[in-house]
Amino acid sequence: MESASRINWKTISENDFNETVEALIVRDRTGNGLVAQAIDGRGGDGGIDIDVKVARTGQLTEILQLKWFPDGFSGARVKRRDQIRDSFKAAMAHRPAVWTLVVPANLTIPERKAVYALKKDHKVHIRLIGAAELNNLLALYPKLHDWALRDTARDLLSLVGREKATLSQPGDLSAEVENLADRSDAISPYWGFNFSSRDGVTTSELYAKREDAMEREPLSFSLETQFGPEDEELRQEFENSLDYGVTKQLILPSRVISSFTKEGPEWFAGEEGPGELQILPADEGSRDIRIDVTSFDVEGKRLGSVSARKGRFVAGNVGGTLEFSTPGGLSLAWRLPKDAGAGSVRVDFAPEGHGALDVRKALGFASTLHEAANFLIAIDGQVSELNLAESSSEPVGVPAVSELIEDLAIIEVKTGVTFAFPKFLPPALDRIWARIIRRILEGGYIALPNTDGFNVTLSGATDETIEKALVDGGAMLISHEDWAIELLDETVFLGNIAIYFGHVSAENGAEHVEALKAGNGTGRRVSFRSASAIPGVIYIPGHPDAKESVVAEPWGLTGIREHANVR
């Protein structure tokens, strides 16, 4: 019977034997909680060429000894048994559960008996691996087999000028891929192939070399499908791709493909066997095109518009699909029928990371979709009218998000700061401060959150006004110049602002007055608290749009409770 391997163990060199067996044993013994490692014997191997240990604990389970004895160790070579005995004795100092001798030959019966006789009183299991066992291991790991034969294969292939097929030298892989590409390119003057192989799966992508490829060398295919009840969504995606063009990768598993036949020249035609079918878009992404969309209500009143400078249009049997995105996170996919009929639009609104002004504009158009009756769509100047099969039942977005977008957009306009819109709705206090900043920039007087007073530190100076304020309290006005606040990771500069309290009183006011009069008031901390539970009011003094009276206005935010004393 022929050997399962093309390696000739009788003529293999010592270096090749050691390298091949080490790689093979390490691969075979590593796994299931064990790890095998070859030992460099330059410093003395202690009777160990390869050891096998439990990965988690490091416990030794097996020692393997490699002996390059291609013609055995009998007859005139009996002294080789002394070498085996010495290696066995050295290995027993490590107390392995298994000791294995590996040689490149099938042992004779006397040779086997001589090895098993080494056990004596040692608590160890002895195993033997010869040429036949090595061949069986190589059959289990064919890639290791090919690696071991790389040099021999290169010598043979060099006779026919194909030595690079072994991929054993730098540059061989590139040369082989180029060679295969040249051969595939010669298949047809009109069609070419892009191909790849990964994890045992070979993928071939056909492309046209010339614009008239389909006229010069027509290719077609017929496909019969059978979708089960569990494939309803997949069936719908497949039919939509046929009707309106392929916009994203579609994978049909083998269970839904009854037959797949390619028709055309001999190199292309044929019936494909079972397998999945991947349908890819004709192009990879957007291209430079001018897109303008305007929405109208049932009475023809213009509701809104949106534009883009990049997009994608693909055609199908029934119509086409137009896809584009706008600044602000709005993505739209329009299905446009060829003939008169109702189309549809798919909306995806993801404002995260976009500036609030762009987000506001995008949401403004998206919000018209639920009430729009028809649209004018212009693609590079070619205008078509679209009626929707059905309108969206409700506007895009939720009130709290819309409020935050509007607040941040106005702040951006009035201050020049640009926010990155958050992925999630921020905490209530951040929403309140966004509303406060917006309203004071517009000239409003608005209640401060979580504030029923303020603290001051006395300088030590005193007069009648200060003493009266400490004892009797009253209205207080606090001014700040170059005031700024952190909001959603951005610093907003507001300049001069004022905070007004209608009526506050000082805690322990009389005590503070006595300290001031005695000259001991410097550095004393005074807490002023609202006497009427009405919060402080923040505003910009002298704002041209401000009202005459300073009256706190509510925040007016969805889902956030107002200050108890502000209506």
Side-chain angles (χ1 to χ4, degrees):
M1 183 177 70
E2 288 187 0
S3 168
S5 168
R6 283 178 265 174
I7 294 177
N8 189 336
W9 297 108
K10 292 182 178 181
T11 60
I12 192 171
S13 70
E14 182 176 8
N15 184 67
D16 287 346
F17 169 72
N18 289 333
E19 282 191 357
T20 301
V21 173
E22 285 173 356
L24 189 61
I25 295 298
V26 168
R27 175 65 182 87
D28 183 65
R29 295 293 201 269
T30 298
N32 297 321
L34 299 177
V35 58
Q37 189 172 30
I39 304 300
D40 188 334
R42 288 175 297 176
D45 59 19
I48 304 174
D49 285 329
I50 302 172
D51 61 16
V52 183
K53 296 181 179 181
V54 177
R56 186 173 61 86
T57 64
Q59 179 185 355
L60 179 67
T61 62
E62 182 181 8
I63 289 176
L64 294 100
Q65 183 68 43
L66 280 55
K67 293 298 183 184
W68 180 63
F69 298 158
D71 45 5
F73 43 91
S74 299
R77 307 169 191 87
V78 71
K79 289 185 178 180
R80 293 179 176 177
R81 297 185 185 183
D82 295 337
Q83 298 179 35
I84 296 174
R85 183 185 66 249
D86 293 342
S87 295
F88 176 82
K89 183 178 179 180
M92 289 305 100
H94 303 284
R95 296 186 175 182
V98 178
W99 182 82
T100 303
L101 176 65
V102 186
V103 294
N106 291 324
L107 302 186
T108 65
I109 291 178
E111 288 172 340
R112 286 195 309 176
K113 287 182 177 180
V115 175
Y116 288 138
L118 296 173
K119 180 177 180 179
K120 296 183 180 179
D121 297 330
H122 295 288
K123 295 181 179 180
V124 65
H125 180 65
I126 294 178
R127 292 176 180 169
L128 298 173
I129 294 179
E133 291 78 16
L134 289 172
N135 287 338
N136 286 333
L137 285 175
L138 283 168
L140 292 176
Y141 308 109
K143 290 183 179 180
L144 275 177
H145 178 271
D146 294 343
W147 167 80
L149 286 171
R150 64 196 183 282
D151 292 334
T152 301
R154 188 177 185 88
D155 292 340
L156 293 173
L157 288 169
S158 67
L159 299 176
V160 292
R162 293 289 290 116
E163 64 272 15
K164 293 185 181 297
T166 61
L167 308 182
S168 62
Q169 299 295 321
D172 284 359
L173 179 60
S174 296
E176 280 300 294
V177 172
E178 290 176 8
N179 179 59
L180 185 58
D182 290 341
R183 291 164 58 193
S184 68
D185 191 59
I187 291 177
S188 168
Y190 307 105
W191 300 95
F193 295 90
N194 289 323
F195 52 86
S196 64
S197 181
R198 186 180 182 86
D199 297 331
V201 178
T202 299
T203 302
S204 177
E205 179 183 344
L206 192 66
Y207 67 91
K209 294 180 181 178
R210 299 168 38 163
E211 292 185 359
D212 61 349
M214 187 59 77
E215 299 175 8
R216 295 299 186 102
E217 195 171 36
L219 308 178
S220 63
F221 66 86
S222 59
L223 176 69
E224 293 185 5
T225 59
Q226 187 172 1
F227 295 94
E230 72 280 8
D231 301 314
E232 180 58 29
E233 183 176 349
L234 180 62
R235 182 192 64 79
Q236 188 64 52
E237 289 185 16
F238 177 60
E239 291 181 356
N240 289 337
S241 296
L242 295 178
D243 291 343
Y244 290 96
V246 180
T247 59
K248 63 180 182 179
Q249 182 185 41
L250 181 63
I251 299 177
L252 299 183
S254 57
R255 69 174 183 275
V256 306
I257 300 177
S258 301
S259 66
F260 180 73
T261 304
K262 297 186 296 184
E263 300 172 355
E266 183 178 358
W267 61 265
F268 178 78
E271 185 169 347
E272 297 291 333
E276 71 176 25
L277 175 65
Q278 298 186 20
I279 304 175
L280 304 175
D283 54 41
E284 296 183 354
S286 299
R287 61 183 180 87
D288 292 332
I289 54 177
R290 171 66 186 261
I291 302 169
D292 296 285
V293 180
T294 305
S295 58
F296 300 88
D297 65 11
V298 291
E299 298 177 352
K301 179 182 176 181
R302 182 181 180 278
L303 298 176
S305 65
V306 69
S307 300
R309 296 298 179 269
K310 283 184 176 292
R312 176 169 64 172
F313 180 80
V314 294
N317 298 325
V318 174
T321 299
L322 173 66
E323 293 183 337
F324 63 91
S325 299
T326 72
L330 181 64
S331 297
L332 300 166
W334 304 81
R335 284 184 180 162
L336 312 175
K338 290 181 180 178
D339 303 323
S344 64
V345 59
R346 187 181 72 248
V347 182
D348 181 25
F349 181 53
E352 177 190 358
H354 293 268
L357 279 171
D358 289 334
V359 173
R360 181 173 67 172
K361 185 175 182 180
L363 181 61
F365 178 78
S367 298
T368 71
L369 298 177
H370 77 289
E371 55 182 324
N374 67 307
F375 301 84
L376 286 183
I377 299 178
I379 306 175
D380 280 342
Q382 299 294 317
V383 181
S384 60
E385 185 174 353
L386 174 68
N387 298 315
L388 294 184
E390 58 181 18
S391 298
S392 174
S393 59
E394 59 184 27
V396 175
V398 296
V401 173
S402 300
E403 291 166 359
L404 181 63
I405 291 172
E406 186 67 18
D407 291 340
L408 296 180
I410 291 175
I411 296 172
E412 286 188 353
V413 170
K414 291 185 175 292
T415 67
V417 70
T418 299
F419 296 99
F421 200 80
K423 182 176 183 179
F424 303 106
L425 194 66
L429 189 58
D430 286 341
R431 292 175 55 200
I432 291 172
W433 272 109
R435 175 57 54 90
I436 290 174
I437 296 170
R438 168 199 170 174
R439 285 298 299 129
I440 65 175
L441 287 169
E442 293 174 326
Y445 301 100
I446 192 158
L448 284 172
N450 304 328
T451 304
D452 63 352
F454 58 92
N455 300 319
V456 298
T457 300
L458 300 178
S459 66
T462 185
D463 57 24
E464 184 178 346
T465 301
I466 294 174
E467 293 174 5
K468 182 175 177 57
L470 289 171
V471 174
D472 299 331
M476 290 280 186
L477 181 66
I478 304 171
S479 297
H480 291 271
E481 295 182 358
D482 297 325
W483 190 74
I485 186 172
E486 293 290 324
L487 178 65
L488 301 182
D489 298 325
E490 297 294 337
T491 301
V492 183
F493 292 93
L494 295 172
N496 186 30
I497 64 102
I499 300 175
Y500 174 75
F501 289 88
H503 191 165
V504 294
S505 61
E507 295 179 357
N508 304 315
E511 180 181 325
H512 293 305
V513 171
E514 291 179 5
L516 287 171
K517 289 180 177 180
N520 301 321
T522 302
R524 292 180 69 93
R525 185 179 179 87
V526 182
S527 295
F528 285 92
R529 293 292 175 261
S530 174
S532 57
I534 296 176
V537 179
I538 187 170
Y539 63 97
I540 295 178
H543 195 289
D545 297 324
K547 297 179 181 179
E548 293 184 3
S549 58
V550 181
V551 178
E553 65 179 74
W555 303 314
L557 294 170
T558 301
I560 294 180
R561 182 183 300 176
E562 296 289 349
H563 194 286
N565 293 286
V566 176
R567 292 290 184 268

